Amino acid sequence: MRGGKTTQKGGRTPILSYDVIVVGAGSMGMSAGCYLAQRGVKTLLIDSFDPPHTNGSHHGETRLIRHAYTGSPTYTNMAIRADQLWRELEEASGETLLIRCGVLNLGAEGVPSLDDKRKRAADFGLAVEWLDADEIRKRWQGLAIPDSFRGLYEREAGCLLSDACVLAYRRQALAHGAVLLPFTPVREIKVESGGVTVYTKAGDFTADKLILSLGAWFSTADRLIALPIRAVRKAVAWFEADDTLFDAERFPGFTLHDAAGGYYGFPSIRGSGVKIGRHDAGQPWKPGDPFEPFGHDRQDEEDLRRALETYMPLAAGRLLRGTACKYEMTPDEHFIIDRHPEHRHVYLAGGFSGHGFKFASVVGEILADLVTKEETEQDIAPFALSRFGQASRTTE
């Protein structure tokens, strides 16, 4: 393998040593591995599957990227930086990773999240428009929204091609000397003051530092750190739509909040149909349990179809396909980006709560900064593990 130093103890199998081991090479882990490798850091990426894959939180082809955010201003700062990094990855890879179709945030007038996004956009000077129902229906004739709805339209927002993004980071990481072990579940992690040892079926590996980015699988590391993250099964689906109204060249990505809940979706990309998912609800899941495919629950389709029939009836055609994915939720739906409370050479990135993918580029940069410089220009105080109090303790 490239990048590793070999040591041997007492006639045992040689142990390969690295500067950093990343356990969990999905969106955040692969991004971190890429930026570390680019800085000349000897990096080993380990994943139980073969990223990009369908067992984590990044599959399903597309994710929204938008900049006007509720909550801490650090989200908007990070979204702006993330967008720049996605553009740089596009240039380096020569691939299209982002479709700038705009994003329309919809909801009834007075919905707090819309007002907060509008204020944040003004604070940061973002290119947005505040639209009433008449103007929305005029611009996008496929929308059948009530007069009480308002919209915040972000012209520079759009859709990330999530699987392609992870693959582009993978290729860049390997090109810069990172080593990837796919299909390699971790059996045990031993942390000592001088470094870490990771035990796998492919061998044992040591490193000075460790990044854990396990997504919905974080509970498998409970012996090392018990994080307040729960995994949730979510359904998304693509429906046949009138492409003269809903093609990505004519229709934006969207978020939609009504009395029934919160939804998000995407225009038809190259005839894919309109994709829609629901941010709230979902079924609890934990590693080791069966993960039911789309359609196991009749609500998988019915709930999503109801939203389209109500607000986009010409996008509520036959079901083209559906899939089930995993959210990794924290109690407050904000991220965890921090160091282990007892082992400062162990870094944690998780709990991205269904809205993290757009930030994968900047989260990878943040982790690379913490590993190499022990600081980052981004304000990650809102993501500190200590906000959960006792939840930050290890179980040992």
Side-chain angles (χ1 to χ4, degrees):
M1 295 183 186
R2 291 188 299 160
K5 298 175 290 184
T6 302
T7 62
Q8 190 163 353
K9 297 181 180 180
R12 294 176 56 193
T13 302
I15 298 176
L16 289 173
S17 296
Y18 293 83
D19 296 329
V20 183
I21 296 175
V22 181
V23 178
S27 50
M28 311 300 170
M30 194 68 78
S31 171
C34 177
Y35 291 121
L36 286 165
Q38 286 178 351
R39 299 179 191 191
V41 177
K42 295 178 180 178
T43 304
L44 174 64
L45 294 145
I46 303 176
D47 200 272
S48 295
F49 307 100
D50 189 18
H53 53 72
T54 62
N55 295 286
S57 302
H58 60 259
H59 82 288
E61 298 181 6
T62 49
R63 296 292 186 276
L64 294 178
I65 181 167
R66 51 192 177 83
H67 311 105
Y69 236 81
T70 58
S72 170
T74 195
Y75 278 120
T76 296
N77 274 320
M78 285 173 60
I80 293 169
R81 177 58 178 163
D83 196 300
Q84 179 182 346
L85 291 171
W86 290 123
R87 291 198 303 270
E88 291 176 5
L89 182 62
E90 277 193 314
E91 183 175 352
S93 66
E95 301 175 31
T96 298
L97 304 176
L98 200 166
I99 299 172
R100 291 200 186 275
C101 55
V103 171
L104 179 63
N105 302 275
L106 290 166
E109 187 173 13
V111 170
S113 61
L114 273 183
D115 291 337
D116 289 347
K117 290 174 186 175
R118 185 182 183 187
K119 181 179 184 303
R120 188 73 70 226
D123 292 343
F124 281 82
L126 301 177
V128 301
E129 297 178 73
W130 182 248
L131 306 173
D132 63 20
D134 282 340
E135 180 63 23
I136 292 167
R137 291 187 294 248
K138 182 188 301 183
R139 291 197 191 186
W140 300 286
Q141 296 178 19
L143 287 169
I145 59 171
D147 291 341
S148 62
F149 268 42
R150 297 294 182 268
L152 184 74
Y153 177 54
E154 299 185 54
R155 297 191 299 275
E156 297 301 315
C159 305
L160 288 163
L161 304 180
S162 54
D163 297 296
C165 288
V166 174
L167 184 57
Y169 269 130
R170 172 176 173 159
R171 289 170 173 163
Q172 291 294 307
L174 297 182
H176 284 87
V179 174
L180 171 65
L181 292 181
F183 302 116
T184 307
V186 169
R187 294 173 174 172
E188 184 184 358
I189 298 174
K190 183 177 293 184
V191 180
E192 298 174 328
S193 59
V196 301
T197 304
V198 178
Y199 300 88
T200 78
K201 66 179 183 180
D204 304 337
F205 306 92
T206 66
D208 299 328
K209 298 180 180 181
L210 173 71
I211 294 173
L212 293 179
S213 52
L214 300 174
W217 301 80
F218 246 109
S219 64
T220 62
D222 271 357
R223 291 186 62 192
L224 177 59
I225 181 75
L227 297 183
I229 294 174
R230 61 184 179 90
V232 180
R233 175 188 177 275
K234 296 282 189 174
V236 296
W238 290 256
F239 292 86
E240 190 172 41
D242 183 344
D243 272 1
T244 65
L245 299 173
F246 294 102
D247 182 79
E249 294 185 0
R250 304 173 179 85
F251 195 77
F254 61 90
T255 68
L256 190 155
H257 296 270
D258 67 4
Y263 299 83
Y264 62 91
F266 304 81
S268 178
I269 300 173
R270 297 185 288 274
S272 66
V274 167
K275 176 187 172 184
I276 185 170
R278 182 168 177 173
H279 178 69
D280 53 352
Q283 299 83 37
W285 176 82
K286 63 179 183 294
D289 286 353
F291 190 75
E292 304 296 351
F294 181 90
H296 176 79
D297 185 339
R298 60 183 293 180
Q299 287 296 110
D300 287 351
E301 177 180 351
E302 290 180 359
D303 188 34
L304 303 177
R305 180 177 291 281
R306 181 206 66 81
L308 290 178
E309 288 176 342
T310 303
Y311 301 107
M312 307 173 203
L314 295 179
R318 66 186 175 91
L319 176 70
L320 297 178
R321 57 195 172 102
T323 190
C325 61
K326 302 176 183 75
Y327 272 23
E328 31 156 338
M329 307 292 292
T330 62
D332 59 9
E333 298 190 16
H334 297 303
F335 309 158
I336 296 172
I337 305 174
D338 204 347
R339 292 182 175 189
H340 191 291
E342 298 173 17
H343 308 295
R344 305 302 287 172
H345 53 305
V346 175
Y347 301 84
L348 310 170
F352 291 99
S353 300
H355 63 114
F357 187 90
K358 67 181 71 65
F359 299 104
S361 57
V362 71
V363 170
E365 182 182 61
I366 288 169
L367 292 169
D369 286 343
L370 293 175
V371 167
T372 59
K373 300 186 296 186
E374 297 194 354
E375 61 181 4
T376 174
E377 294 181 1
Q378 299 296 330
D379 175 19
I380 59 173
F383 310 131
L385 180 57
S386 60
R387 74 186 189 271
F388 298 113
Q390 297 299 314
S392 67
R393 291 185 177 178
T394 58
T395 59
E396 295 184 326

